[in-house]
Amino acid sequence: MTDSQDHAEIAKFEAMAAEWWDPAGKFKPLHMMNPVRLGYVTDQIAAEFGRDLKTPRPFEGLRLLDIGCGGGLLSEPMARLGADVVGADAAPRNIKVASLHAAEVGLEIDYRNDTAEALLAQGESFDAVLAMEIVEHVADPAGFVQSCHDLLRPGGVLVMSTLNRNLRSYAAAIIGAEWVMRWLPKGTHEWSRFITPDELAQMMTQAGLHVADRRGMVFNPISWGWSLSERDLSVNYAMTGIRRAQEG
């Protein structure tokens, strides 16, 4: 089985772990983006499982994995929506921060210091897997996507987000976010590890997933906010894959 861990990448996020829930700290970009990516995730899961997002706990009865959960910025709202959430991260300090915060706000989330491969070896399975802003940090992206597929039950949903690899993404994510705005420490991202939408779609297809949707997440410097785009996938984007129901 492939081990997708990259220990140098894990160490970067370990060093920033205490700031996960500080909206003005090193994870400010994620806090700003979170409402848009949460909206995308919930729409995709609701569409696949026929759930009504207007109900109080629309994901009741669904088991969900947030792999690379960090401090729990997505795990917590998914738990509030009724899902049975497992949050997993390879960085132990992230899990400590996430567990403490969930306890403080009264949420029951099963946080684990585990990788996708370890969960697979444990025989875990899920209705939905979220892998947001993680695939560009793993050692073997294709192997990681395969592990995410294997963790899904037939008919399950994989939602991923990452960064495109082109000159615009270099300007926005490296020069803009790290050098100019200083939203992130220099070196947080390596542009060469960014993945184009076509590359990610190919990884999903090769893993046995049907690519159901792809959408850009676009930052507007005038409104100072994020929105989804069907056409502009040039920097940040999300993609949904479905594990075919006829699989065993």
Side-chain angles (χ1 to χ4, degrees), residues 31-48:
H31 282 272
M32 294 171 63
M33 186 194 293
N34 214 40
V36 168
R37 66 178 189 157
L38 178 62
Y40 179 80
V41 164
T42 55
D43 283 349
Q44 294 300 312
I45 295 174
E48 185 60 25

Side-chain angles (χ1 to χ4, degrees), residues 50-63:
R51 302 302 178 94
D52 182 357
L53 291 173
K54 295 177 183 177
T55 59
R57 291 171 63 83
F59 297 152
E60 197 87 58
L62 294 180
R63 192 161 192 254

Side-chain angles (χ1 to χ4, degrees), residues 18-182:
E19 297 196 46
W20 272 108
W21 287 96
D22 180 0
K26 291 185 174 70
F27 295 101
K28 180 178 180 178
L30 276 185
H31 282 272
M32 294 171 63
M33 186 194 293
N34 214 40
V36 168
R37 66 178 189 157
L38 178 62
Y40 179 80
V41 164
T42 55
D43 283 349
Q44 294 300 312
I45 295 174
E48 185 60 25
F49 290 101
R51 302 302 178 94
D52 182 357
L53 291 173
K54 295 177 183 177
T55 59
R57 291 171 63 83
F59 297 152
E60 197 87 58
L62 294 180
R63 192 161 192 254
L64 179 141
L65 170 65
D66 183 9
I67 187 70
C69 63
L73 299 188
L74 274 179
S75 295
E76 289 198 5
M78 298 310 291
R80 288 192 178 94
L81 290 169
D84 176 12
V85 177
V86 173
D89 201 285
R93 286 187 66 199
N94 287 349
I95 293 301
K96 290 179 182 177
V97 169
S99 299
L100 179 62
H101 195 272
E104 288 174 349
V105 297
L107 288 173
E108 289 189 20
I109 298 172
D110 183 1
Y111 281 119
R112 306 184 194 180
N113 178 209
D114 267 330
T115 63
E117 295 78 19
L119 291 167
L120 200 54
Q122 295 163 23
E124 296 284 4
S125 64
F126 302 90
D127 298 296
V129 172
L130 309 184
M132 314 297 281
E133 288 82 48
I134 178 176
V135 70
E136 71 272 20
H137 296 290
V138 302
D140 178 6
F144 174 74
V145 174
Q146 184 67 61
S147 295
C148 290
H149 163 276
D150 295 346
L151 283 163
L152 284 172
R153 295 165 180 165
V157 180
L158 170 63
V159 184
M160 305 186 76
S161 63
T162 188
L163 286 149
N164 200 343
R165 189 180 65 256
N166 53 36
L167 289 177
R168 188 171 170 188
S169 69
Y170 184 86
I174 307 294
I175 298 174
E178 295 185 14
W179 299 357
V180 178
M181 302 305 295
R182 297 183 181 178

